[in-house]
């Protein structure tokens, strides 16, 4: 099955700086890559996703890049704000399979005011 | 409001005492799933259901049961809880067979402690 690894496990950044989280996946057939944000006391929530037919997608201060050859994808957060502090999960799966997502172990991002 | 509702939010129980965590969604989603979240291990899937009366094991199904008698409900049953099932549990749902325009919607979690 798919194996997703996420690095680093914890990331601290100064407010206003950029944060980058990288994930690698093992199954070259995977073609859907979402990112979820989990705030304290809440369930994960989708913040951005990308399909394998594109290399980059942006939504305001967040962006995701995908390198299919190297089998890795990254989340970029620019101009970080305190409300960006959360746990971020990457995931991967085959799009038209059984909806099963393979999640990374999560990354704690701390934005220091 | 579209949501996944889990109950209870917090539960403390003793080893061996059967319990059920309920999950309900109001989005008419075919697919529902249970995950457990443990420090350093991320989200691991316990069971999932592609539709009513269709359930299947995830990555860590031992010690758990589920049922899907109605589309909106997907309860998680621990017949004989043990301390290693102490965890944070999440229910999630989405439209079956769709990914790009239908994200996985999570509930707010149930923190279970088994003593």
């Amino acid at each position: 099955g798919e194996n997703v690894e996420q690095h680093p496990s914890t990331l601290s950044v100064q407010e206003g700086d950029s944060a980058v989280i990288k994930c690698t996946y093992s199954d070259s057939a995977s073609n859907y890559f979402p990112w979820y944000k989990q705030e304290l006391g809440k369930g994960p929530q989708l913040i951005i996703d990308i399909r394998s037919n594109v290399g980059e997608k942006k939504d305001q201060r967040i962006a995701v890049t995908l390198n299919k050859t190297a089998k890795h994808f990254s989340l970029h957060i620019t101009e970080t704000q305190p409300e960006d502090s959360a746990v971020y999960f990457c995931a991967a799966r085959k799009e038209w399979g059984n909806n099963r997502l393979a999640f990374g172990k999560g990354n704690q991002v701390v934005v220091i005011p | 409001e579209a949501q996944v509702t889990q109950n209870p939010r917090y539960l403390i129980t003793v080893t061996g005492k059967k319990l059920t965590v309920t999950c309900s969604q109001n989005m008419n989603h075919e697919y529902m799933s249970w995950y457990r979240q443990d420090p350093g291990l991320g989200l691991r899937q316990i069971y999932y259901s592609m539709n009513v009366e269709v359930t299947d094991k995830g990555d860590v199904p031992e010690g758990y049961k589920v049922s899907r008698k109605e589309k909106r409900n997907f309860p998680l049953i621990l017949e004989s809880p043990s301390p290693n099932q102490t965890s944070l549990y999440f229910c999630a749902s989405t439209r079956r067979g769709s990914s790009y325009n239908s994200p996985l919607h999570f509930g707010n979690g149930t923190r279970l402690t088994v003593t």
Side-chain angles (χ1 to χ4, degrees), chain A residues 30-80:
Chain A
S30 289
N31 55 11
Y32 173 65
F33 308 94
W35 284 91
Y36 285 80
K37 175 184 180 182
Q38 184 182 23
E39 297 176 343
L40 197 61
K42 296 185 178 180
Q45 185 173 14
L46 179 74
I47 54 171
I48 195 167
D49 56 12
I50 192 168
R51 299 164 88 181
S52 58
N53 58 349
V54 297
E56 184 177 5
K57 182 179 177 182
K58 290 183 180 179
D59 183 3
Q60 299 181 0
R61 294 187 298 106
I62 60 172
V64 56
T65 58
L66 172 65
N67 184 325
K68 288 175 57 181
T69 303
K71 289 192 284 189
H72 67 71
F73 56 112
S74 299
L75 178 70
H76 305 254
I77 308 173
T78 58
E79 301 173 22
T80 53

Side-chain angles (χ1 to χ4, degrees), chain B residues 39-94:
Chain B
L41 298 177
L43 290 163
R44 294 182 294 167
Q45 191 177 44
I46 303 169
Y47 268 94
Y48 65 98
S49 170
M50 298 291 283
N51 215 325
V52 176
E53 301 291 0
V54 181
T55 63
D56 210 344
K57 296 177 180 178
D59 300 314
V60 288
E62 294 78 19
Y64 304 95
K65 284 176 56 178
V66 292
S67 70
R68 189 88 182 276
K69 293 183 171 56
E70 304 167 284
K71 197 172 187 179
R72 64 182 293 125
N73 296 323
F74 190 45
L76 179 69
I77 304 156
L78 284 71
E79 294 270 4
S80 183
S82 61
N84 64 10
Q85 293 178 298
T86 292
S87 187
L88 179 59
Y89 291 87
F90 288 101
C91 181
S93 73
T94 189

Side-chain angles (χ1 to χ4, degrees), chain A:
Chain A
E2 175 64 272
N3 181 46
V4 177
E5 295 192 358
Q6 193 167 345
H7 305 280
S9 59
T10 305
L11 178 63
S12 296
V13 295
Q14 288 292 140
E15 182 177 355
D17 287 351
S18 295
V20 181
I21 307 167
K22 180 178 174 179
C23 284
T24 60
Y25 62 99
S26 61
D27 189 345
S28 57
S30 289
N31 55 11
Y32 173 65
F33 308 94
W35 284 91
Y36 285 80
K37 175 184 180 182
Q38 184 182 23
E39 297 176 343
L40 197 61
K42 296 185 178 180
Q45 185 173 14
L46 179 74
I47 54 171
I48 195 167
D49 56 12
I50 192 168
R51 299 164 88 181
S52 58
N53 58 349
V54 297
E56 184 177 5
K57 182 179 177 182
K58 290 183 180 179
D59 183 3
Q60 299 181 0
R61 294 187 298 106
I62 60 172
V64 56
T65 58
L66 172 65
N67 184 325
K68 288 175 57 181
T69 303
K71 289 192 284 189
H72 67 71
F73 56 112
S74 299
L75 178 70
H76 305 254
I77 308 173
T78 58
E79 301 173 22
T80 53
Q81 300 169 4
E83 54 263 37
D84 294 327
S85 294
V87 176
Y88 292 81
F89 290 98
C90 61
R93 73 165 168 87
K94 302 178 188 63
E95 187 168 350
W96 298 107
N98 57 11
N99 287 86
R100 292 191 65 190
L101 280 170
F103 283 92
K105 289 183 167 57
N107 179 293
Q108 176 74 59
V109 172
V110 178
V111 179
I112 304 165

Side-chain angles (χ1 to χ4, degrees), chain B:
Chain B
E1 179 188 355
Q3 60 185 359
V4 177
T5 303
Q6 296 178 228
N7 280 297
R9 288 295 308 273
Y10 301 92
L11 180 58
I12 301 174
T13 190
V14 295
T15 299
K17 185 176 182 182
K18 180 180 178 179
L19 65 91
T20 299
V21 183
T22 64
C23 174
S24 180
Q25 51 92 5
N26 62 0
M27 295 166 280
N28 202 35
H29 286 162
E30 294 85 5
Y31 180 91
M32 298 185 74
S33 180
W34 277 101
Y35 295 85
R36 60 178 288 175
Q37 183 178 9
D38 301 289
L41 298 177
L43 290 163
R44 294 182 294 167
Q45 191 177 44
I46 303 169
Y47 268 94
Y48 65 98
S49 170
M50 298 291 283
N51 215 325
V52 176
E53 301 291 0
V54 181
T55 63
D56 210 344
K57 296 177 180 178
D59 300 314
V60 288
E62 294 78 19
Y64 304 95
K65 284 176 56 178
V66 292
S67 70
R68 189 88 182 276
K69 293 183 171 56
E70 304 167 284
K71 197 172 187 179
R72 64 182 293 125
N73 296 323
F74 190 45
L76 179 69
I77 304 156
L78 284 71
E79 294 270 4
S80 183
S82 61
N84 64 10
Q85 293 178 298
T86 292
S87 187
L88 179 59
Y89 291 87
F90 288 101
C91 181
S93 73
T94 189
R95 292 201 329 246
R96 177 183 174 181
S98 172
S99 63
Y100 196 65
N101 294 318
S102 182
L104 203 56
H105 294 262
F106 284 85
N108 280 330
T110 295
R111 185 165 292 282
L112 171 65
T113 302
V114 183
T115 60

